[in-house]
């Protein structure tokens, strides 16, 4: 009974955090979109501005970079949360004797690490170690690395989750085809988002580094059409993935995992030998719910 209550409490915490991160990401992006670009900067494309430069509105441009980078951090934190909980569930099945740390603690450590990078980046700008160009470069490198890691982790965990679902379905003699299909669909969609984001950030980083090495500035590296393409692809992909995650949360969410499948399948199920049924519930519940 206590284990069941603990499982229910954990699910509530995860879903609450999930919704909160989606809300925060959407709010930050909305704020950035509704404020006219002329308020942020007189130039449409990025250009070098040093902190405390009286000839430039450095403070408002610094605020814009913080707003954009914080929104990206919140967006990527959603996927980090998902992957951390997937890893914890799968560890129970693939490494039954291994110790398991608290997923939320692991999640917070990872997010704090990414936040620390943003704080150091902002501090270096304020100490005039580099201009806004440097902040953009650091953000691009960070997001490209995180995107590549997320592609790898989603692919690995998705394969393992499908293995677990098929095995538990065979043991309980129930169909898990719908859960497996959902994971496959979400995996493909999630990987498309991260591959797109990784490509955009790597391309941006490469262009910045090459132009910066040659000219010492990136003021002229982006034409209006090129910057438009980058912004459009970046934010359309974000909008698509946020919409997908909301769809997943609105779809069938149950604390019983296989009990939900039972409504579509054979009804009652037997206990899985040598496995905690609460973990089986968590695995199948998390699969359709925390699966982006």
């Amino acid at each position: 009974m206590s284990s069941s209550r603990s499982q229910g409490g954990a699910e509530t915490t995860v879903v609450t955090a999930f919704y909160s991160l989606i809300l925060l990401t959407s709010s930050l992006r909305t704020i950035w979109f509704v404020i006219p670009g002329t308020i942020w900067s007189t130039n449409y494309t990025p250009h070098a501005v040093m902190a405390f430069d009286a000839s430039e509105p450095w403070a408002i441009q610094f605020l814009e970079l913080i707003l954009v980078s914080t929104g990206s951090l919140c967006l990527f934190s959603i996927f980090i949360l998902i992957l951390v909980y997937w890893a914890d569930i799968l560890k129970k099945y693939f490494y039954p004797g291994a110790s398991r740390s608290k997923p939320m603690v692991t999640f917070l450590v990872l997010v704090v690490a990414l936040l620390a990078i943003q704080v150091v980046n902002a501090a270096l700008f304020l100490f005039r170690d580099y201009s806004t160009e440097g902040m953009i470069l650091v953000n691009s490198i960070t997001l490209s690395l995180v995107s590549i890691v997320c592609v790898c982790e989603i692919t690995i965990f998705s394969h393992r989750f499908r293995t677990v679902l098929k095995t538990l379905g065979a043991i309980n003699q129930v169909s898990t085809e719908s859960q497996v299909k959902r994971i496959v669909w979400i995996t493909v969609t999630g990987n498309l988002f991260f591959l797109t984001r990784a490509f955009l950030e790597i391309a941006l980083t490469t262009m910045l580094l090459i132009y910066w090495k040659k000219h010492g500035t990136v003021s002229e590296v982006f034409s209006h059409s090129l910057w438009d393409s980058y912004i459009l692809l970046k934010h359309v992909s974000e909008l698509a993935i946020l919409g997908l995650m909301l769809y997943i949360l609105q779809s069938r969410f149950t604390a019983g995992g296989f009990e939900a499948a039972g409504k579509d399948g054979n009804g009652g199920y037997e206990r899985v030998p040598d496995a905690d049924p609460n973990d089986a519930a968590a695995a199948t519940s998390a699969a359709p719910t925390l699966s982006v």
Side-chain angles (χ1 to χ4, degrees), residues 163-176:
T163 301
V164 170
L165 284 171
K166 290 177 181 178
T167 301
L168 293 178
I171 292 174
N172 287 279
Q173 297 183 345
V174 296
S175 173
T176 58

Side-chain angles (χ1 to χ4, degrees), residues 206-219:
T206 303
M207 294 179 66
L208 287 173
L209 288 174
I210 293 175
Y211 202 88
W212 202 354
K213 184 177 180 180
K214 288 183 177 180
H215 305 283
T217 178
V218 296
S219 298

Side-chain angles (χ1 to χ4, degrees), residues 76 79 83 86 144 146-159 162 182-200 237 241 244 248 291-292:
F76 279 70
F79 301 103
L83 291 173
W86 267 22
S144 62
V146 174
S147 295
I148 293 171
V149 171
C150 285
V151 169
C152 296
E153 294 296 308
I154 286 176
T155 302
I156 294 171
F157 290 164
S158 171
H159 174 72
R162 295 198 302 271
R182 184 174 296 180
I183 289 179
V184 171
W185 179 65
I186 291 169
T187 300
V188 171
T189 307
N191 279 347
L192 282 175
F193 167 75
F194 280 113
L195 286 172
T196 300
R197 194 59 183 268
F199 170 77
L200 289 174
S237 64
I241 203 67
L244 172 66
I248 294 166
S291 312
V292 180

Side-chain angles (χ1 to χ4, degrees), residues 82-155:
I82 293 166
L83 291 173
V84 164
Y85 272 85
W86 267 22
D88 180 67
I89 293 170
L90 291 171
K91 191 173 184 180
K92 171 67 176 179
Y93 287 94
F94 286 91
Y95 308 100
S99 60
R100 297 163 64 189
S101 59
K102 294 183 178 180
M104 188 56 72
V105 173
T106 304
F107 165 72
L108 291 175
V109 168
L110 293 173
V111 171
V112 168
L114 291 176
L115 181 61
I117 294 175
Q118 300 300 323
V119 172
V120 171
N121 190 24
L124 290 174
F125 169 77
L126 293 174
F127 284 122
R128 298 177 62 87
D129 286 280
Y130 49 65
S131 67
T132 51
E133 296 171 338
M135 291 191 69
I136 295 173
L137 182 60
V138 171
N139 287 335
S140 295
I141 293 173
T142 302
L143 293 179
S144 62
L145 291 175
V146 174
S147 295
I148 293 171
V149 171
C150 285
V151 169
C152 296
E153 294 296 308
I154 286 176
T155 302

